[in-house]
Amino acid sequence: MKSIKNLLIPFIILIVLAISAIVYFVAENTKKNKPAETTGGMVDIVYYNPSDISSLSVYSRDTGHTSAVNFSIDSNDVIHYEYCGDDAAPGVNYSQSKLALFVSEMTCFSSNYKVSSDGNLSEYGLDMPACVITIKTLNGTDKTISLGNMTPDGNNCYLNIAGSTDIYLVSSSKIQCSVKTAISFLDPSVLNIDYYDIKNIHFDRKTDGLSIDAAVEIFDSGLVQFNIVKPYEHGTSSYFESLMDSVIHLVITEYVSVDNGSLSQYGLDAPVYHFVITLNNGEKTEIYFSKQINGFFYGYIAGTDKYFKLTNYQLDGIDLKETVLIDPYVCYCRINSISSITCVYGDRSFKFAMDVGEGKNIMSDGAIITLDGRNAKILDSSGRSYCSILFESIACINIGGVETDAVVDKGNGPVISLSFNGKNYVTTLYEFYERDNDSFYVFKDGEYTGFYIYSREIFNDGGYDTYSYGFWKAYELLDEAILGSIGGIYDMPN
Protein backbone atom coordinates (compact mmCIF):
# COMPACT_ATOMS: atom_id res chain seq x y z
CA MET A 1 0.00 0.00 0.00
CA LYS A 2 2.77 2.36 0.87
CA SER A 3 4.42 1.85 -2.54
CA ILE A 4 1.12 2.59 -4.35
CA LYS A 5 0.61 5.73 -2.24
CA ASN A 6 4.13 6.86 -3.14
CA LEU A 7 3.30 6.42 -6.83
CA LEU A 8 0.01 8.36 -6.59
CA ILE A 9 1.55 11.50 -5.11
CA PRO A 10 3.74 12.38 -8.18
CA PHE A 11 0.82 11.49 -10.49
CA ILE A 12 -1.54 13.87 -8.63
CA ILE A 13 1.11 16.59 -8.77
CA LEU A 14 1.37 16.13 -12.58
CA ILE A 15 -2.41 16.43 -12.96
CA VAL A 16 -2.44 19.64 -10.88
CA LEU A 17 0.37 21.14 -12.99
CA ALA A 18 -1.45 20.21 -16.21
CA ILE A 19 -4.68 21.81 -15.00
CA SER A 20 -2.76 24.94 -13.97
CA ALA A 21 -1.16 25.17 -17.42
CA ILE A 22 -4.52 24.82 -19.15
CA VAL A 23 -6.07 27.50 -16.94
CA TYR A 24 -3.11 29.80 -17.64
CA PHE A 25 -3.26 29.43 -21.43
CA VAL A 26 -7.03 29.81 -21.50
CA ALA A 27 -6.78 32.94 -19.40
CA GLU A 28 -4.05 34.37 -21.60
CA ASN A 29 -5.95 33.49 -24.78
CA THR A 30 -9.11 35.07 -23.37
CA LYS A 31 -7.17 38.18 -22.47
CA LYS A 32 -5.66 38.50 -25.97
CA ASN A 33 -8.90 37.78 -27.76
CA LYS A 34 -11.33 39.59 -25.55
CA PRO A 35 -13.89 41.49 -27.56
CA ALA A 36 -13.12 45.13 -28.39
CA GLU A 37 -14.64 47.61 -26.03
CA THR A 38 -17.32 49.57 -27.88
CA THR A 39 -17.44 53.28 -27.40
CA GLY A 40 -21.21 53.43 -27.56
CA GLY A 41 -21.32 54.31 -31.26
CA MET A 42 -19.00 56.25 -33.53
CA VAL A 43 -17.26 59.02 -31.57
CA ASP A 44 -14.64 61.60 -32.46
CA ILE A 45 -11.25 60.68 -31.03
CA VAL A 46 -9.51 63.56 -32.75
CA TYR A 47 -11.28 66.48 -34.33
CA TYR A 48 -9.91 69.88 -35.32
CA ASN A 49 -11.44 72.78 -37.16
CA PRO A 50 -8.93 73.97 -39.80
CA SER A 51 -9.27 77.52 -38.47
CA ASP A 52 -7.65 76.34 -35.20
CA ILE A 53 -4.57 74.77 -36.84
CA SER A 54 -1.26 76.43 -37.71
CA SER A 55 0.43 73.45 -39.39
CA LEU A 56 0.09 69.75 -40.15
CA SER A 57 2.84 67.23 -40.89
CA VAL A 58 2.37 63.60 -41.91
CA TYR A 59 5.28 61.17 -41.92
CA SER A 60 4.98 57.85 -43.76
CA ARG A 61 7.27 55.05 -42.68
CA ASP A 62 6.85 53.17 -45.97
CA THR A 63 7.98 56.09 -48.14
CA GLY A 64 10.19 57.92 -45.63
CA HIS A 65 8.42 61.06 -46.83
CA THR A 66 6.85 63.88 -44.85
CA SER A 67 3.98 65.88 -46.31
CA ALA A 68 3.37 69.16 -44.55
CA VAL A 69 0.81 71.94 -44.80
CA ASN A 70 0.88 75.42 -43.33
CA PHE A 71 -2.37 77.27 -42.63
CA SER A 72 -3.23 80.96 -42.93
CA ILE A 73 -6.46 82.96 -42.78
CA ASP A 74 -7.06 86.08 -44.90
CA SER A 75 -9.06 89.18 -44.02
CA ASN A 76 -12.24 87.50 -45.29
CA ASP A 77 -11.73 84.56 -42.91
CA VAL A 78 -10.90 82.27 -45.82
CA ILE A 79 -8.39 79.53 -44.98
CA HIS A 80 -5.43 79.10 -47.32
CA TYR A 81 -3.23 76.03 -47.42
CA GLU A 82 0.45 76.10 -48.33
CA TYR A 83 2.06 72.78 -49.19
CA CYS A 84 5.57 72.64 -47.75
CA GLY A 85 6.45 68.94 -47.67
CA ASP A 86 9.84 67.41 -48.42
CA ASP A 87 9.17 67.64 -52.16
CA ALA A 88 7.51 71.09 -52.32
CA ALA A 89 8.62 73.10 -55.35
CA PRO A 90 8.63 76.90 -55.54
CA GLY A 91 6.15 78.52 -57.90
CA VAL A 92 4.01 75.40 -58.26
CA ASN A 93 0.25 75.80 -57.99
CA TYR A 94 -1.10 73.27 -55.50
CA SER A 95 -4.83 72.63 -55.37
CA GLN A 96 -6.56 74.21 -52.38
CA SER A 97 -9.41 71.69 -52.60
CA LYS A 98 -7.05 68.70 -52.65
CA LEU A 99 -5.08 70.06 -49.70
CA ALA A 100 -8.33 70.73 -47.83
CA LEU A 101 -9.39 67.09 -48.28
CA PHE A 102 -5.98 65.88 -47.09
CA VAL A 103 -6.19 68.12 -44.01
CA SER A 104 -9.68 66.83 -43.23
CA GLU A 105 -8.52 63.21 -43.48
CA MET A 106 -5.48 63.75 -41.26
CA THR A 107 -7.07 65.88 -38.52
CA CYS A 108 -10.38 64.10 -37.94
CA PHE A 109 -10.50 60.53 -36.57
CA SER A 110 -13.59 58.65 -35.40
CA SER A 111 -14.00 55.16 -33.98
CA ASN A 112 -16.56 52.92 -32.32
CA TYR A 113 -14.00 50.41 -30.98
CA LYS A 114 -11.45 50.88 -28.24
CA VAL A 115 -9.15 47.88 -28.66
CA SER A 116 -7.11 48.29 -25.50
CA SER A 117 -6.31 50.63 -22.61
CA ASP A 118 -3.13 48.76 -21.65
CA GLY A 119 -0.76 50.90 -23.68
CA ASN A 120 0.96 47.82 -25.18
CA LEU A 121 1.99 49.65 -28.36
CA SER A 122 4.24 46.97 -29.83
CA GLU A 123 1.37 44.47 -29.97
CA TYR A 124 -0.39 46.74 -32.49
CA GLY A 125 2.60 48.06 -34.44
CA LEU A 126 2.43 51.39 -32.67
CA ASP A 127 5.96 51.29 -31.31
CA MET A 128 7.17 51.72 -34.91
CA PRO A 129 4.07 53.30 -36.49
CA ALA A 130 3.30 53.25 -40.19
CA CYS A 131 2.34 56.90 -39.95
CA VAL A 132 2.96 59.74 -37.53
CA ILE A 133 0.72 62.82 -37.73
CA THR A 134 1.64 66.02 -35.93
CA ILE A 135 -0.96 68.76 -35.55
CA LYS A 136 0.15 72.16 -34.31
CA THR A 137 -2.58 74.51 -33.16
CA LEU A 138 -2.80 78.26 -32.88
CA ASN A 139 -3.20 78.07 -29.10
CA GLY A 140 -0.05 75.95 -28.71
CA THR A 141 -1.74 72.62 -27.82
CA ASP A 142 -0.13 70.18 -30.20
CA LYS A 143 -1.11 66.59 -30.80
CA THR A 144 0.77 63.60 -32.19
CA ILE A 145 -1.18 60.66 -33.62
CA SER A 146 0.30 57.30 -34.57
CA LEU A 147 -1.20 54.74 -36.92
CA GLY A 148 0.01 51.16 -36.53
CA ASN A 149 -0.71 47.81 -38.14
CA MET A 150 -3.74 47.11 -40.26
CA THR A 151 -6.22 44.46 -39.21
CA PRO A 152 -6.09 41.12 -41.06
CA ASP A 153 -9.04 42.08 -43.28
CA GLY A 154 -7.31 45.33 -44.25
CA ASN A 155 -10.34 47.46 -43.41
CA ASN A 156 -8.98 49.10 -40.27
CA CYS A 157 -5.78 50.07 -38.52
CA TYR A 158 -4.77 50.85 -34.93
CA LEU A 159 -4.46 54.37 -33.56
CA ASN A 160 -2.83 55.85 -30.49
CA ILE A 161 -2.51 59.44 -29.34
CA ALA A 162 0.75 60.40 -27.68
CA GLY A 163 0.31 60.65 -23.91
CA SER A 164 -2.57 58.15 -23.84
CA THR A 165 -2.60 54.39 -23.31
CA ASP A 166 -5.83 53.94 -25.30
CA ILE A 167 -5.69 52.17 -28.63
CA TYR A 168 -8.55 52.47 -31.15
CA LEU A 169 -9.58 51.01 -34.48
CA VAL A 170 -9.96 53.52 -37.33
CA SER A 171 -10.40 53.16 -41.09
CA SER A 172 -7.30 52.02 -42.98
CA SER A 173 -8.02 54.76 -45.53
CA LYS A 174 -6.11 57.00 -43.13
CA ILE A 175 -2.87 55.10 -43.84
CA GLN A 176 -3.59 55.13 -47.56
CA CYS A 177 -4.01 58.90 -47.42
CA SER A 178 -0.83 59.39 -45.41
CA VAL A 179 1.46 58.37 -48.31
CA LYS A 180 0.39 61.30 -50.52
CA THR A 181 3.19 63.46 -51.89
CA ALA A 182 3.36 66.78 -53.74
CA ILE A 183 2.19 65.23 -57.01
CA SER A 184 -1.08 64.31 -55.28
CA PHE A 185 -1.84 67.96 -54.57
CA LEU A 186 -1.06 69.54 -57.93
CA ASP A 187 -3.90 71.64 -59.34
CA PRO A 188 -5.94 69.52 -61.81
CA SER A 189 -6.51 72.62 -63.94
CA VAL A 190 -3.51 72.26 -66.25
CA LEU A 191 -4.42 74.90 -68.84
CA ASN A 192 -6.81 77.82 -68.79
CA ILE A 193 -6.13 79.96 -71.85
CA ASP A 194 -8.33 82.90 -72.81
CA TYR A 195 -9.82 82.62 -76.30
CA TYR A 196 -8.94 86.28 -76.93
CA ASP A 197 -5.24 85.38 -76.61
CA ILE A 198 -5.35 82.55 -79.17
CA LYS A 199 -4.31 82.98 -82.79
CA ASN A 200 -4.76 79.40 -84.00
CA ILE A 201 -4.78 75.75 -82.95
CA HIS A 202 -3.18 72.75 -84.63
CA PHE A 203 -4.48 69.21 -84.10
CA ASP A 204 -3.08 66.00 -85.56
CA ARG A 205 -3.47 62.32 -84.75
CA LYS A 206 -1.58 59.25 -85.90
CA THR A 207 -4.57 56.91 -85.98
CA ASP A 208 -5.73 58.20 -89.39
CA GLY A 209 -3.23 60.90 -90.37
CA LEU A 210 -5.64 63.75 -89.62
CA SER A 211 -3.95 67.17 -89.49
CA ILE A 212 -5.96 70.37 -89.03
CA ASP A 213 -5.08 74.01 -88.42
CA ALA A 214 -7.91 76.23 -87.24
CA ALA A 215 -8.06 79.97 -86.64
CA VAL A 216 -10.11 81.46 -83.82
CA GLU A 217 -12.75 84.11 -84.56
CA ILE A 218 -14.52 85.98 -81.78
CA PHE A 219 -17.64 87.99 -82.59
CA ASP A 220 -18.79 91.16 -80.84
CA SER A 221 -21.38 89.05 -79.01
CA GLY A 222 -18.57 87.00 -77.47
CA LEU A 223 -19.39 83.95 -79.60
CA VAL A 224 -16.26 81.93 -80.42
CA GLN A 225 -15.93 80.22 -83.78
CA PHE A 226 -13.16 78.03 -85.21
CA ASN A 227 -12.47 78.09 -88.94
CA ILE A 228 -10.19 75.55 -90.57
CA VAL A 229 -7.45 77.18 -92.64
CA LYS A 230 -5.34 74.13 -93.46
CA PRO A 231 -5.38 71.76 -95.36
CA TYR A 232 -8.59 73.41 -96.65
CA GLU A 233 -10.77 76.34 -95.68
CA HIS A 234 -13.99 75.40 -93.97
CA GLY A 235 -15.99 75.82 -90.79
CA THR A 236 -16.02 73.42 -87.85
CA SER A 237 -18.76 71.60 -86.00
CA SER A 238 -19.82 71.87 -82.37
CA TYR A 239 -17.91 68.63 -81.74
CA PHE A 240 -14.65 70.27 -82.81
CA GLU A 241 -15.39 73.33 -80.70
CA SER A 242 -16.11 71.15 -77.68
CA LEU A 243 -12.86 69.21 -78.12
CA MET A 244 -10.83 72.40 -78.48
CA ASP A 245 -12.47 73.86 -75.38
CA SER A 246 -11.51 70.78 -73.36
CA VAL A 247 -7.87 71.20 -74.44
CA ILE A 248 -7.70 74.99 -74.01
CA HIS A 249 -9.21 74.63 -70.53
CA LEU A 250 -7.54 71.30 -69.73
CA VAL A 251 -8.58 69.66 -66.48
CA ILE A 252 -7.01 66.30 -65.65
CA THR A 253 -7.92 63.44 -63.35
CA GLU A 254 -4.56 63.34 -61.60
CA TYR A 255 -0.81 63.54 -62.08
CA VAL A 256 1.16 60.31 -62.35
CA SER A 257 4.78 59.44 -61.65
CA VAL A 258 6.38 58.32 -64.91
CA ASP A 259 10.11 57.84 -65.44
CA ASN A 260 11.86 57.52 -68.79
CA GLY A 261 11.98 53.77 -68.46
CA SER A 262 8.21 53.43 -68.21
CA LEU A 263 7.09 55.87 -70.92
CA SER A 264 6.03 53.01 -73.19
CA GLN A 265 3.85 51.58 -70.42
CA TYR A 266 1.75 54.73 -70.63
CA GLY A 267 1.93 55.10 -74.41
CA LEU A 268 4.02 58.25 -74.02
CA ASP A 269 7.03 57.04 -75.96
CA ALA A 270 4.95 57.52 -79.13
CA PRO A 271 1.99 59.82 -78.40
CA VAL A 272 -0.97 59.48 -80.74
CA TYR A 273 -2.57 62.92 -80.34
CA HIS A 274 -0.87 66.30 -80.63
CA PHE A 275 -2.15 69.85 -80.11
CA VAL A 276 -0.32 73.14 -80.60
CA ILE A 277 -1.92 76.33 -79.28
CA THR A 278 -0.34 79.46 -80.76
CA LEU A 279 -1.03 82.76 -79.02
CA ASN A 280 -1.24 86.18 -80.61
CA ASN A 281 2.14 87.05 -79.07
CA GLY A 282 3.76 84.05 -80.76
CA GLU A 283 4.01 81.83 -77.69
CA LYS A 284 3.18 78.18 -78.24
CA THR A 285 1.88 75.44 -75.96
CA GLU A 286 2.25 71.85 -77.16
CA ILE A 287 0.24 69.05 -75.59
CA TYR A 288 0.68 65.34 -76.27
CA PHE A 289 -1.69 62.50 -75.43
CA SER A 290 -1.25 58.74 -75.56
CA LYS A 291 -3.62 56.25 -77.07
CA GLN A 292 -6.45 55.27 -74.76
CA ILE A 293 -5.32 52.75 -72.14
CA ASN A 294 -7.96 51.14 -69.90
CA GLY A 295 -10.28 54.13 -70.28
CA PHE A 296 -7.59 56.77 -69.69
CA PHE A 297 -5.42 59.03 -71.81
CA TYR A 298 -1.96 59.91 -70.51
CA GLY A 299 -0.33 63.16 -71.49
CA TYR A 300 2.17 65.91 -70.90
CA ILE A 301 2.90 69.46 -71.97
CA ALA A 302 6.14 69.90 -73.90
CA GLY A 303 8.88 71.48 -71.82
CA THR A 304 7.56 70.13 -68.52
CA ASP A 305 8.36 66.96 -66.61
CA LYS A 306 4.86 66.41 -65.23
CA TYR A 307 2.74 63.59 -66.62
CA PHE A 308 -0.98 63.28 -66.08
CA LYS A 309 -3.96 61.17 -66.93
CA LEU A 310 -7.57 61.94 -67.77
CA THR A 311 -10.64 59.98 -68.73
CA ASN A 312 -11.96 59.51 -72.24
CA TYR A 313 -14.89 61.74 -71.23
CA GLN A 314 -12.48 64.62 -70.62
CA LEU A 315 -11.29 64.39 -74.23
CA ASP A 316 -14.66 63.59 -75.74
CA GLY A 317 -14.54 63.76 -79.53
CA ILE A 318 -10.80 63.24 -79.97
CA ASP A 319 -11.43 60.17 -82.16
CA LEU A 320 -14.39 61.48 -84.16
CA LYS A 321 -14.18 61.25 -87.95
CA GLU A 322 -12.95 64.32 -89.80
CA THR A 323 -16.34 64.78 -91.47
CA VAL A 324 -17.91 65.00 -88.00
CA LEU A 325 -15.36 67.44 -86.59
CA ILE A 326 -15.84 69.88 -89.46
CA ASP A 327 -19.00 71.69 -90.54
CA PRO A 328 -20.90 68.79 -92.16
CA TYR A 329 -22.40 70.93 -94.93
CA VAL A 330 -20.82 72.07 -98.20
CA CYS A 331 -22.50 75.47 -98.37
CA TYR A 332 -24.68 76.04 -95.33
CA CYS A 333 -26.40 79.43 -95.39
CA ARG A 334 -29.20 81.32 -93.68
CA ILE A 335 -32.33 82.19 -95.64
CA ASN A 336 -32.10 85.80 -94.38
CA SER A 337 -28.63 86.35 -95.89
CA ILE A 338 -29.38 85.17 -99.47
CA SER A 339 -31.22 87.00 -102.25
CA SER A 340 -31.15 84.20 -104.84
CA ILE A 341 -29.69 80.81 -105.75
CA THR A 342 -29.18 79.82 -109.38
CA CYS A 343 -28.68 76.20 -110.39
CA VAL A 344 -27.42 75.00 -113.80
CA TYR A 345 -27.65 71.32 -114.78
CA GLY A 346 -26.77 70.62 -118.37
CA ASP A 347 -29.16 72.65 -120.53
CA ARG A 348 -31.64 73.12 -117.68
CA SER A 349 -31.56 75.66 -114.87
CA PHE A 350 -33.64 77.38 -112.21
CA LYS A 351 -33.49 80.58 -110.22
CA PHE A 352 -34.69 80.37 -106.63
CA ALA A 353 -35.17 83.90 -105.27
CA MET A 354 -36.03 84.96 -101.73
CA ASP A 355 -36.53 88.08 -99.67
CA VAL A 356 -36.89 87.10 -96.01
CA GLY A 357 -36.39 89.64 -93.25
CA GLU A 358 -34.03 89.09 -90.33
CA GLY A 359 -35.63 86.92 -87.68
CA LYS A 360 -38.31 85.71 -90.12
CA ASN A 361 -38.71 82.28 -91.69
CA ILE A 362 -39.35 81.25 -95.26
CA MET A 363 -43.15 81.13 -94.83
CA SER A 364 -43.50 84.29 -92.75
CA ASP A 365 -45.98 86.93 -93.85
CA GLY A 366 -44.12 89.37 -96.02
CA ALA A 367 -41.48 86.84 -97.10
CA ILE A 368 -41.25 86.68 -100.89
CA ILE A 369 -40.17 83.32 -102.37
CA THR A 370 -40.15 82.67 -106.12
CA LEU A 371 -38.97 79.94 -108.48
CA ASP A 372 -38.24 81.30 -111.94
CA GLY A 373 -40.45 84.26 -111.14
CA ARG A 374 -43.42 82.21 -109.88
CA ASN A 375 -44.75 82.23 -106.31
CA ALA A 376 -43.08 79.31 -104.57
CA LYS A 377 -44.84 79.49 -101.19
CA ILE A 378 -46.79 76.25 -101.74
CA LEU A 379 -47.89 73.98 -98.87
CA ASP A 380 -49.18 70.45 -98.57
CA SER A 381 -52.24 69.69 -96.46
CA SER A 382 -50.10 69.08 -93.39
CA GLY A 383 -48.51 72.53 -93.63
CA ARG A 384 -45.11 71.43 -95.01
CA SER A 385 -43.83 73.98 -97.55
CA TYR A 386 -42.23 72.84 -100.79
CA CYS A 387 -39.96 75.88 -100.96
CA SER A 388 -38.56 74.85 -97.55
CA ILE A 389 -37.77 71.42 -98.96
CA LEU A 390 -35.73 73.00 -101.75
CA PHE A 391 -33.88 75.47 -99.53
CA GLU A 392 -33.06 72.82 -96.91
CA SER A 393 -31.75 70.43 -99.57
CA ILE A 394 -29.37 73.14 -100.83
CA ALA A 395 -28.27 74.55 -97.47
CA CYS A 396 -27.70 71.07 -96.02
CA ILE A 397 -25.68 69.29 -98.72
CA ASN A 398 -23.67 66.82 -96.66
CA ILE A 399 -19.95 66.39 -97.23
CA GLY A 400 -19.34 62.76 -98.16
CA GLY A 401 -15.63 62.72 -97.48
CA VAL A 402 -12.30 64.54 -97.56
CA GLU A 403 -9.79 63.89 -100.34
CA THR A 404 -7.32 66.76 -100.35
CA ASP A 405 -4.79 65.13 -102.72
CA ALA A 406 -7.30 64.26 -105.46
CA VAL A 407 -6.42 65.06 -109.08
CA VAL A 408 -9.66 66.32 -110.61
CA ASP A 409 -10.35 66.08 -114.33
CA LYS A 410 -12.15 69.29 -115.23
CA GLY A 411 -12.10 68.65 -118.98
CA ASN A 412 -15.82 67.96 -119.30
CA GLY A 413 -16.83 70.83 -117.03
CA PRO A 414 -19.03 70.60 -113.94
CA VAL A 415 -22.02 68.29 -113.96
CA ILE A 416 -24.07 70.78 -111.96
CA SER A 417 -23.50 74.11 -110.22
CA LEU A 418 -25.05 76.38 -107.59
CA SER A 419 -24.50 80.15 -107.52
CA PHE A 420 -25.37 81.98 -104.29
CA ASN A 421 -26.08 85.70 -104.46
CA GLY A 422 -25.83 87.22 -101.01
CA LYS A 423 -27.58 90.30 -99.71
CA ASN A 424 -24.08 91.67 -99.19
CA TYR A 425 -23.68 91.58 -103.03
CA VAL A 426 -21.11 88.78 -102.83
CA THR A 427 -21.62 85.86 -105.22
CA THR A 428 -20.28 82.42 -104.38
CA LEU A 429 -20.15 79.64 -106.98
CA TYR A 430 -20.12 75.92 -106.15
CA GLU A 431 -19.40 73.46 -108.96
CA PHE A 432 -19.66 69.69 -108.82
CA TYR A 433 -17.33 67.59 -110.98
CA GLU A 434 -17.74 63.86 -111.52
CA ARG A 435 -15.61 61.73 -109.20
CA ASP A 436 -17.16 58.35 -109.98
CA ASN A 437 -20.63 56.98 -110.72
CA ASP A 438 -21.88 57.91 -107.26
CA SER A 439 -19.96 61.00 -106.15
CA PHE A 440 -18.78 64.47 -107.14
CA TYR A 441 -15.80 66.67 -106.28
CA VAL A 442 -16.75 70.08 -104.89
CA PHE A 443 -15.20 73.33 -106.15
CA LYS A 444 -15.79 76.75 -104.62
CA ASP A 445 -15.16 79.82 -106.76
CA GLY A 446 -12.98 77.76 -109.08
CA GLU A 447 -10.86 76.19 -106.32
CA TYR A 448 -11.04 72.58 -105.21
CA THR A 449 -12.39 72.43 -101.63
CA GLY A 450 -10.87 69.05 -100.83
CA PHE A 451 -14.36 67.54 -100.38
CA TYR A 452 -16.64 65.27 -102.33
CA ILE A 453 -20.34 64.58 -102.00
CA TYR A 454 -22.48 61.61 -102.90
CA SER A 455 -24.96 61.82 -105.76
CA ARG A 456 -27.89 61.37 -103.38
CA GLU A 457 -27.31 64.94 -102.19
CA ILE A 458 -28.35 66.05 -105.69
CA PHE A 459 -30.59 63.40 -107.18
CA ASN A 460 -32.26 61.49 -104.35
CA ASP A 461 -36.06 61.29 -104.67
CA GLY A 462 -37.34 61.20 -101.10
CA GLY A 463 -40.96 60.50 -102.05
CA TYR A 464 -43.14 61.23 -99.06
CA ASP A 465 -40.04 61.69 -96.87
CA THR A 466 -39.59 65.37 -97.57
CA TYR A 467 -36.39 65.55 -95.51
CA SER A 468 -34.33 63.28 -97.77
CA TYR A 469 -34.47 65.02 -101.15
CA GLY A 470 -31.46 65.87 -103.25
CA PHE A 471 -31.55 69.51 -104.33
CA TRP A 472 -32.29 68.86 -108.04
CA LYS A 473 -35.15 66.50 -107.18
CA ALA A 474 -36.37 69.06 -104.61
CA TYR A 475 -36.45 71.64 -107.42
CA GLU A 476 -38.50 69.29 -109.61
CA LEU A 477 -40.89 68.65 -106.69
CA LEU A 478 -41.38 72.39 -106.09
CA ASP A 479 -41.91 72.99 -109.80
CA GLU A 480 -44.53 70.22 -109.80
CA ALA A 481 -46.22 71.70 -106.70
CA ILE A 482 -46.42 75.18 -108.28
CA LEU A 483 -47.99 73.78 -111.45
CA GLY A 484 -50.45 71.53 -109.62
CA SER A 485 -51.39 73.69 -106.64
CA ILE A 486 -54.90 74.90 -105.95
CA GLY A 487 -55.13 77.91 -103.65
CA GLY A 488 -51.49 77.45 -102.64
CA ILE A 489 -52.01 73.80 -101.58
CA TYR A 490 -50.60 70.74 -103.31
CA ASP A 491 -50.48 67.12 -102.12
CA MET A 492 -48.30 64.53 -103.77
CA PRO A 493 -50.37 61.87 -105.53
CA ASN A 494 -50.67 58.44 -103.94
Side-chain angles (χ1 to χ4, degrees):
M1 291 293 292
K2 183 177 180 181
S3 60
I4 293 174
K5 183 178 180 180
N6 289 338
L7 288 171
L8 282 173
I9 290 172
F11 179 71
I12 291 170
I13 291 172
L14 285 172
I15 291 174
V16 170
L17 289 173
I19 292 172
S20 298
I22 291 170
V23 169
Y24 172 80
F25 283 114
V26 169
E28 284 298 303
N29 191 56
T30 301
K31 179 181 178 181
K32 286 186 178 180
N33 295 282
K34 64 182 180 181
E37 177 186 341
T38 67
T39 60
M42 189 69 71
V43 296
D44 291 331
I45 307 168
V46 177
Y47 177 81
Y48 283 96
N49 190 308
S51 61
D52 297 327
I53 303 174
S54 62
S55 68
L56 165 73
S57 70
V58 180
Y59 168 77
S60 170
R61 182 191 64 201
D62 292 341
T63 63
H65 173 83
T66 298
S67 289
V69 182
N70 285 338
F71 297 61
S72 63
I73 302 177
D74 65 19
S75 58
N76 296 315
D77 292 330
V78 176
I79 300 172
H80 296 275
Y81 303 100
E82 178 193 1
Y83 181 74
C84 48
D86 293 343
D87 51 355
V92 174
N93 188 22
Y94 295 103
S95 168
Q96 290 293 297
S97 60
K98 289 190 173 186
L99 287 171
L101 286 173
F102 178 69
V103 167
S104 177
E105 280 285 318
M106 296 289 96
T107 60
C108 301
F109 295 85
S110 300
S111 177
N112 59 359
Y113 283 99
K114 182 192 291 185
V115 178
S116 170
S117 297
D118 297 341
N120 187 2
L121 301 182
S122 62
E123 187 176 350
Y124 302 98
L126 289 163
D127 55 334
M128 297 180 63
C131 169
V132 177
I133 302 159
T134 303
I135 303 169
K136 293 184 178 296
T137 64
L138 294 173
N139 63 11
T141 58
D142 305 337
K143 186 159 289 190
T144 300
I145 303 156
S146 297
L147 301 178
N149 296 337
M150 287 197 289
T151 54
D153 60 9
N155 294 328
N156 297 285
C157 64
Y158 299 102
L159 174 147
N160 172 255
I161 300 171
S164 170
T165 58
D166 293 337
I167 298 171
Y168 294 89
L169 275 184
V170 295
S171 172
S172 59
S173 65
K174 301 294 185 177
I175 288 183
Q176 295 162 7
C177 184
S178 71
V179 300
K180 289 186 176 182
T181 58
I183 198 171
S184 306
F185 307 116
L186 290 173
D187 194 327
S189 179
V190 175
L191 288 177
N192 189 18
I193 302 174
D194 195 312
Y195 281 112
Y196 285 95
D197 295 330
I198 299 173
K199 181 179 181 181
N200 56 56
I201 294 181
H202 169 83
F203 169 44
D204 65 76
R205 63 188 180 202
K206 293 182 179 179
T207 52
D208 58 357
L210 173 69
S211 180
I212 288 176
D213 289 298
V216 179
E217 182 179 3
I218 304 177
F219 296 92
D220 292 339
S221 63
L223 177 68
V224 178
Q225 178 176 297
F226 291 91
N227 296 303
I228 296 173
V229 295
K230 188 179 178 182
Y232 44 78
E233 294 184 359
H234 196 64
T236 60
S237 71
S238 59
Y239 297 103
F240 183 88
E241 293 168 0
S242 177
L243 174 61
M244 293 304 108
D245 188 73
S246 66
V247 174
I248 292 166
H249 304 110
L250 185 62
V251 177
I252 64 170
T253 301
E254 63 181 356
Y255 285 90
V256 293
S257 296
V258 180
D259 55 41
N260 290 334
S262 60
L263 287 173
S264 60
Q265 178 183 343
Y266 297 94
L268 293 172
D269 56 331
V272 173
Y273 309 96
H274 176 218
F275 295 85
V276 182
I277 304 171
T278 302
L279 304 184
N280 292 319
N281 63 8
E283 291 182 10
K284 293 185 178 182
T285 300
E286 288 193 67
I287 311 105
Y288 293 88
F289 295 103
S290 70
K291 62 185 177 181
Q292 191 176 151
I293 301 173
N294 298 324
F296 289 96
F297 294 99
Y298 294 87
Y300 65 92
I301 296 176
T304 70
D305 58 357
K306 294 182 177 63
Y307 299 94
F308 47 78
K309 74 174 183 179
L310 60 169
T311 68
N312 53 342
Y313 300 108
Q314 290 169 289
L315 283 179
D316 191 28
I318 200 169
D319 282 316
L320 288 175
K321 293 194 302 183
E322 185 171 2
T323 51
V324 177
L325 289 172
I326 66 176
D327 181 345
Y329 305 123
V330 168
C331 47
Y332 182 79
C333 58
R334 295 169 55 248
I335 189 72
N336 317 93
S337 64
I338 300 296
S339 59
S340 68
I341 302 170
T342 301
C343 177
V344 177
Y345 175 38
D347 59 358
R348 300 178 64 188
S349 65
F350 68 79
K351 183 176 181 180
F352 187 37
M354 61 282 298
D355 184 4
V356 181
E358 192 66 35
K360 303 293 184 179
N361 62 54
I362 199 169
M363 291 302 293
S364 295
D365 292 340
I368 300 172
I369 311 294
T370 63
L371 181 68
D372 296 328
R374 300 166 296 166
N375 176 35
K377 294 174 73 173
I378 310 298
L379 304 172
D380 66 14
S381 297
S382 68
R384 176 73 161 139
S385 67
Y386 291 95
C387 57
S388 294
I389 298 170
L390 176 56
F391 184 77
E392 291 163 8
S393 68
I394 294 172
C396 300
I397 300 171
N398 281 287
I399 294 171
V402 180
E403 196 173 303
T404 55
D405 57 354
V407 178
V408 183
D409 182 2
K410 300 175 63 177
N412 295 324
V415 174
I416 195 169
S417 67
L418 290 168
S419 180
F420 293 78
N421 299 304
K423 286 184 176 180
N424 59 358
Y425 304 106
V426 174
T427 299
T428 306
L429 175 65
Y430 288 88
E431 297 172 300
F432 303 87
Y433 289 83
E434 186 174 15
R435 177 175 177 264
D436 55 31
N437 291 333
D438 190 43
S439 61
F440 299 88
Y441 292 115
V442 182
F443 277 69
K444 178 182 178 181
D445 292 332
E447 298 291 332
Y448 176 47
T449 61
F451 309 135
Y452 62 85
I453 67 167
Y454 290 107
S455 59
R456 61 176 176 265
E457 300 297 324
I458 305 173
F459 301 115
N460 190 60
D461 185 341
Y464 292 104
D465 182 0
T466 60
Y467 294 94
S468 63
Y469 271 80
F471 65 82
W472 184 259
K473 284 298 181 179
Y475 150 69
E476 292 182 333
L477 177 63
L478 176 55
D479 183 60
E480 177 186 311
I482 293 171
L483 294 173
S485 65
I486 299 174
I489 302 296
Y490 173 78
D491 288 313
M492 285 184 274
N494 294 327

